[in-house]
Amino acid sequence: VPASRIRNFSIVAHIDHGKSTLADQLLRVTQTVSERDMKAQYLDNMDLERERGITIKLQAARMNYNAKDGNTYVLNLIDTPGHVDFSYEVSRSLVACEGALLVVDASQGVEAQTLANIYLALEQDLEIVPVLNKIDLPGAEPDRVKAEVEEAIGLDCSDAVLASAKMGIGIDEILEKIVAIVPPPADNTDRPLRALIFDSYYDAYRGVIVYFRVVDGKVRKGDRVRLMASKKEYDIDELGVLSPTQVPVDELHAGEVGYFAASIKSVEDARVGDTIALASNIPDEPLPGYAEAKPMVFCGLFPTDSEDFENLREALDKLKLNDAALSFEPETSSAMGFGFRCGFLGLLHMEIVQERLEREYDLDLIITAPSVVYRVTLVGGEVIEVDNPSQLPAPQKREQVEEPYIRVDVIAPETYVGAVMELCQSRRGDFKDMRYFTPTRTTIIYELPLAEVVTDFFDQLKSRTRGYASMEYQFIGYRVNELVRLDVMVNGDPVDSLATIVHRDKAYGVGKILVEKLKELIPRQQFKIPVQAAIGSRIIASQQIPALRKDVLAKCYGGDISRKKKLLQKQAKGKKRMKAIGTVDVPQEAFMAVLRLD
Ligand code: GDP
Ligand code: MG
């Protein structure tokens, strides 16, 4: 196919605005997938994605479209993950395109992910095709939403497509617009090969499957290629296109999108953003923008049953094959025994990994509260990174502690501005800006310590705005603050996995509420258990868990068997996720108590 007949595009949208439904329609109308094979939401193939309504992994699909001008075009849809935790992957998949469909729900309007993703697309100079979706809904207000997009993004919407992905309205118009507005890729077939990796996944039989866009030159089956960042070389066993199932081809040239397999052992060796070159003709420069994703959030994972340690290691090794951004190393906790300290790109990434470990590998885990990465300058000038609160050096050994800050963009109806600001203010936020897109919808911008957002910030935002606010965030750098380590003692023993780093001004309040929470969460034993919070050697708060008085079942009167049964079942369930610390059983919830202090 000549480059002039190729269009590479992606779809950017806020969650639930209809990206997957629209992608399905494009595949259906271009007959890429037969009606028979079409199951709803073809592109969302992971259970986890469907349940959570998020798109984690991007995929690509190649469609042949017979346009009204009489020509047949190859349209490559490159799907993006859509969530900020994966913003680097989003940016790489957008670089592989010349244009993007901007899908906005005409009954909702611009949301935080709409903005975050469209900014990424504009940074790459993509041509944007605005689409107002869900016009079939009685509450659709396409004119209001057009004005909102124009105001928020500065994008002309007079020609926006009015569509209903669900009812199949406007799909042909979208396909025509892609051909007309999205530029064809540059025809650089004569140059030495440079291709961009925008996704990869591990396949047990063929090794890593690499998804890429050829930018310059061409690549053939059997070629020996070099990955310029990893400096490793491989022979291409299989080369093909995604239509959307993998179909082998012999050659792909500049502008085309495809996949290859080359017996690569782990996605770490073929990272998103790396440049593919021919080993026999290495170009002077790789494609720009390669970066290694750096974990931002850490937590400890401990098997409830210490015999499961090796199983946990195996499970993490397997997940890692498919997830270059996941990091982990063994951690020994004096209270918890052997486990792993794991690093994640963000909160969603962390939740996904935890859930997969429990679901797919059937492991019972105790997960400690997430921590950010602190930068500590020691006396003498050495700078170290601390991702585990229990390892923050004592005050006399350190000069200063810096913590990561993020910029948070919240979009909310005007009536909730007060609630949003109150929340941000209580989390040590610095107010930056507020703008009205329309008289009733606003964007509120704060700079906040990441540590204050990895707690229950998002849940709080949702509940305080009745679900009407959306947010996105981006890392902006490190700042010095007065931070202290708050230690927790249970029955006189320090529990390293309950330690947390807090701002000095908040330490007393946090300590007081934390011990109260722990008192509620830790089940009573035959003896009294003191629970204390301390800064250094100073106890700042304490509570006492009273001893168990009688058999719990004694509470049930008479012969109410079903109630007894229920109580026993409840206890059995609660037992599962406990860790014995000394002589005290501490439940999973206790390790998360520090996250829910309001
Ligand atoms: P995504 O999160 O952007 O991929 O959104 P989905 O494609 O999963 O759609 C979210 C929800 O909106 C689903 O329940 C869809 O059935 C529904 N939906 C998508 N497009 C339309 C539309 O044009 N009209 C209506 N009424 N519902 C739609
Ligand atoms: Mg989707």
Side-chain angles (χ1 to χ4, degrees):
V1 196
S4 61
R5 296 281 163 75
I6 300 174
R7 299 291 182 274
N8 296 319
F9 71 102
S10 65
I11 307 179
V12 299
H14 189 73
I15 179 86
D16 274 350
H17 283 200
K19 181 166 99 167
S20 303
T21 312
L22 177 59
D24 287 349
Q25 285 288 358
L26 297 176
L27 296 181
R28 194 190 298 261
V29 169
T30 56
Q31 295 174 339
T32 307
V33 179
S34 73
E35 207 67 40
R36 194 166 50 85
D37 293 343
M38 195 84 207
K39 45 179 199 282
Q41 309 223 336
Y42 197 90
L43 291 179
D44 282 29
N45 46 15
M46 280 172 70
D47 286 353
L48 211 64
E49 291 188 22
R50 202 172 293 189
E51 273 167 38
R52 287 165 167 268
I54 48 166
T55 308
I56 303 161
K57 261 298 188 191
L58 50 146
Q59 302 276 352
R62 174 175 166 138
M63 301 170 254
N64 289 316
Y65 174 59
N66 302 318
K68 299 231 163 74
D69 67 6
N71 294 317
T72 300
Y73 291 84
V74 169
L75 309 184
N76 289 306
L77 164 59
I78 297 172
D79 197 15
T80 59
H83 190 278
V84 279
D85 275 11
F86 306 99
S87 67
Y88 175 68
E89 287 183 28
V90 179
S91 78
R92 291 308 89 190
S93 43
L94 291 173
V95 189
C97 302
E98 278 78 31
L101 297 180
L102 168 66
V103 175
V104 184
D105 183 333
S107 69
Q108 302 280 331
V110 172
E111 295 287 357
Q113 275 175 26
T114 322
L115 277 190
N117 289 323
I118 202 70
Y119 288 149
L120 287 173
L122 291 171
E123 270 171 33
Q124 311 298 342
D125 283 328
L126 301 194
E127 288 295 330
I128 311 292
V129 179
V131 175
L132 299 185
N133 191 31
K134 307 200 188 183
I135 53 152
D136 60 292
L137 289 177
E141 297 177 274
D143 289 331
R144 173 182 71 79
V145 173
K146 270 189 199 177
E148 212 174 278
V149 174
E150 291 187 344
E151 177 63 28
I153 300 160
L155 185 74
D156 179 11
C157 285
S158 50
D159 267 347
V161 183
L162 300 186
S164 165
K166 192 171 177 181
M167 316 297 277
I169 301 167
I171 309 302
D172 286 319
E173 198 186 335
I174 291 171
L175 288 162
E176 284 295 317
K177 281 257 157 69
I178 292 169
V179 170
I181 294 177
V182 177
D187 186 1
N188 296 333
T189 307
D190 299 336
R191 299 190 190 171
L193 173 69
R194 288 198 303 177
L196 174 74
I197 301 180
F198 61 81
D199 194 11
S200 59
Y201 74 90
Y202 179 77
D203 176 286
Y205 300 101
R206 296 176 293 169
V208 174
I209 308 295
V210 176
Y211 290 71
F212 63 93
R213 146 88 192 254
V214 186
V215 177
D216 299 330
K218 52 191 170 201
V219 59
R220 289 193 188 89
K221 185 181 168 184
D223 277 346
R224 185 162 186 83
V225 291
R226 171 190 280 239
L227 302 182
M228 292 184 76
S230 76
K231 299 193 172 62
K232 295 197 171 156
E233 294 189 2
Y234 302 93
D235 295 315
I236 294 185
D237 306 326
E238 186 184 333
L239 180 77
V241 295
L242 296 312
S243 69
T245 49
Q246 297 172 351
V247 178
V249 300
D250 289 330
E251 181 182 294
L252 289 169
H253 63 75
E256 292 190 290
V257 173
Y259 75 93
F260 76 76
S263 309
I264 302 174
K265 294 205 175 58
S266 158
V267 290
E268 240 184 318
D269 297 328
R271 284 180 185 255
V272 169
D274 203 347
T275 299
I276 304 160
L278 285 181
S280 59
N281 189 5
I282 293 173
D284 299 336
E285 295 282 335
L287 295 164
Y290 177 76
E292 238 166 70
K294 197 170 158 18
M296 300 286 287
V297 181
F298 284 77
C299 74
L301 297 182
F302 296 90
T304 42
D305 181 350
S306 51
E307 308 237 302
D308 271 341
F309 177 75
E310 279 307 321
N311 294 337
L312 176 57
R313 183 202 296 278
E314 256 170 52
L316 286 167
D317 278 334
K318 277 201 191 128
L319 284 183
K320 175 82 186 165
L321 288 176
N322 230 335
D323 185 349
L326 171 66
S327 72
F328 60 93
E329 52 184 59
E331 174 184 358
T332 314
S333 152
S334 55
M336 312 278 284
F338 297 108
F340 291 93
R341 192 84 193 155
C342 302
F344 310 94
L345 295 174
L347 289 175
L348 179 68
H349 185 213
M350 179 171 75
E351 275 180 43
I352 291 167
V353 171
Q354 290 170 352
E355 214 166 304
R356 295 189 61 180
L357 285 173
E358 291 183 353
R359 272 197 209 195
E360 294 168 29
Y361 298 92
D362 198 25
L363 289 164
D364 277 330
L365 301 174
I366 293 287
I367 299 161
T368 65
S371 164
V372 301
V373 183
Y374 296 91
R375 202 187 268 165
V376 182
T377 308
L378 301 174
V379 172
E382 192 195 344
V383 178
I384 59 166
E385 289 193 338
V386 173
D387 61 47
N388 189 342
S390 69
Q391 274 154 26
L392 184 71
Q396 64 274 16
K397 290 192 178 150
R398 59 182 201 238
E399 294 274 354
Q400 63 173 28
V401 185
E402 291 166 276
E403 62 179 329
Y405 265 68
I406 55 173
R407 175 190 138 126
V408 175
D409 288 51
V410 178
I411 295 186
E414 194 237 350
T415 35
Y416 297 111
V417 167
V420 172
M421 291 181 68
E422 203 181 315
L423 174 65
C424 292
Q425 223 69 46
S426 75
R427 301 299 172 95
R428 299 193 278 134
D430 293 325
F431 175 78
K432 283 292 142 187
D433 197 9
M434 180 166 94
R435 279 173 43 210
Y436 283 81
F437 305 140
T438 62
T440 55
R441 281 166 62 79
T442 58
T443 170
I444 304 151
I445 300 169
Y446 266 86
E447 291 177 358
L448 288 146
L450 178 59
E452 297 278 349
V453 177
V454 302
T455 59
D456 60 344
F457 185 88
F458 188 61
D459 293 342
Q460 284 288 329
L461 181 71
K462 283 284 174 195
S463 76
R464 289 176 191 215
T465 60
R466 294 167 187 263
Y468 282 111
S470 57
M471 68 166 263
E472 284 294 326
Y473 63 87
Q474 102 194 61
F475 174 67
I476 53 173
Y478 272 84
R479 291 186 193 167
V480 180
N481 270 320
E482 288 283 325
L483 300 168
V484 296
R485 191 180 79 212
L486 191 66
D487 292 318
V488 174
M489 269 100 64
V490 176
N491 205 19
D493 299 324
V495 182
D496 50 4
S497 298
L498 286 173
T500 175
I501 294 175
V502 290
H503 194 273
R504 181 183 297 280
D505 297 345
K506 282 187 151 189
Y508 279 87
V510 170
K512 188 163 170 289
I513 303 172
L514 184 58
V515 294
E516 279 166 17
K517 287 255 165 172
L518 290 172
K519 179 188 170 191
E520 281 166 30
L521 291 168
I522 297 174
R524 295 180 180 197
Q525 322 267 324
Q526 308 295 343
F527 46 91
K528 279 190 265 177
I529 309 166
V531 179
Q532 297 155 308
I535 299 174
S537 56
R538 199 154 34 96
I539 307 284
I540 59 164
S542 77
Q543 285 283 339
Q544 183 107 250
I545 302 171
L548 208 52
R549 269 169 305 175
K550 291 184 203 126
D551 189 329
V552 215
L553 285 180
K555 268 193 259 166
C556 292
Y557 43 83
D560 190 344
I561 302 284
S562 73
R563 205 176 141 189
K564 269 189 197 171
K565 255 192 197 152
K566 255 188 203 150
L567 193 61
L568 285 171
Q569 274 168 358
K570 222 168 135 191
Q571 285 182 329
K573 221 172 165 190
K575 256 215 184 86
K576 232 173 139 194
R577 297 259 237 133
M578 294 261 201
K579 191 82 189 172
I581 291 180
T583 46
V584 180
D585 284 339
V586 180
Q588 167 67 63
E589 299 78 55
F591 294 95
M592 294 295 160
V594 69
L595 303 184
R596 296 189 176 79
L597 296 176
D598 298 277

